[in-house]
Amino acid sequence: MDMTGEERIAAPRDVVWAALNDPDILKQCIPGCQSLDKISPTELTATVKLKIGPVSASFSGEVTLSNINAPESYTIFGEGKGGIAGFAKGGADVTLEEEGGETILRYEAKAQVGGKIAQLGSRLVDSSAKKLAQQFFADFTAALNGQASA
């Protein structure tokens, strides 16, 4: 599964970069996130509970940041296991471009799923992934707006 997108965020690039690297903000914004803990500057562990179609699962895994070029870009890679539901792994190249007082966040993501989730069919998995991405960016923008007004 491949997914690309662009989001315009009404905040300066430094603020967006800091938020993308803040486990507390990310935990609030990642749909179904139960825990997100930083174990080093480039490694996090996560537990996420998701429902995709009829399959509900709790995924535990690790997230690694690489190719870090602060505050412009990084590569994020994650891998999670969801027991009998299967597994998910993938990564995204994320770039931040400042435009006026706003930031344009662009991403190119690739992911693989296996197990029961893969049996649901690519159309359902793809549409679920797009909905989860939309929810993340809506919550991320709301978190940034709340932070700016605080």
Side-chain angles (χ1 to χ4, degrees):
M1 171 185 69
D2 294 350
M3 192 166 59
T4 59
E6 180 177 296
E7 296 292 326
R8 182 174 289 274
I9 301 168
R13 181 169 65 179
D14 289 344
V15 172
V16 175
W17 179 263
L20 284 174
N21 288 280
D22 184 330
D24 293 331
I25 290 178
L26 292 175
K27 183 180 175 190
Q28 295 172 43
C29 303
I30 297 169
C33 189
Q34 309 282 301
S35 68
L36 185 65
D37 300 304
K38 198 171 205 171
I39 54 176
S40 84
T42 59
E43 297 173 302
L44 301 105
T45 58
T47 303
V48 177
K49 189 171 185 159
L50 292 175
K51 183 169 173 39
I52 299 174
V55 178
S56 194
S58 184
F59 290 88
S60 295
E62 296 177 2
V63 177
T64 307
L65 305 177
S66 60
N67 303 323
I68 299 168
N69 182 15
E72 294 175 19
S73 62
Y74 65 27
T75 299
I76 184 167
F77 179 82
E79 191 166 1
K81 293 181 174 69
I84 61 168
F87 71 88
K89 66 179 177 179
D93 291 317
V94 178
T95 58
L96 302 177
E97 182 183 320
E98 197 153 30
E99 190 174 279
E102 297 184 327
T103 302
I104 299 170
L105 183 152
R106 291 186 180 91
Y107 61 92
E108 286 184 41
K110 292 182 187 294
Q112 294 176 301
V113 295
K116 281 190 176 182
I117 293 172
Q119 295 170 0
L120 295 173
S122 63
R123 195 174 290 154
L124 178 60
V125 172
D126 288 354
S127 70
S128 294
K130 286 184 175 113
K131 283 180 190 164
L132 291 170
Q134 288 171 343
Q135 183 65 53
F136 170 81
F137 285 114
D139 291 348
F140 185 74
T141 300
L144 280 179
N145 289 340
Q147 193 180 41
S149 63

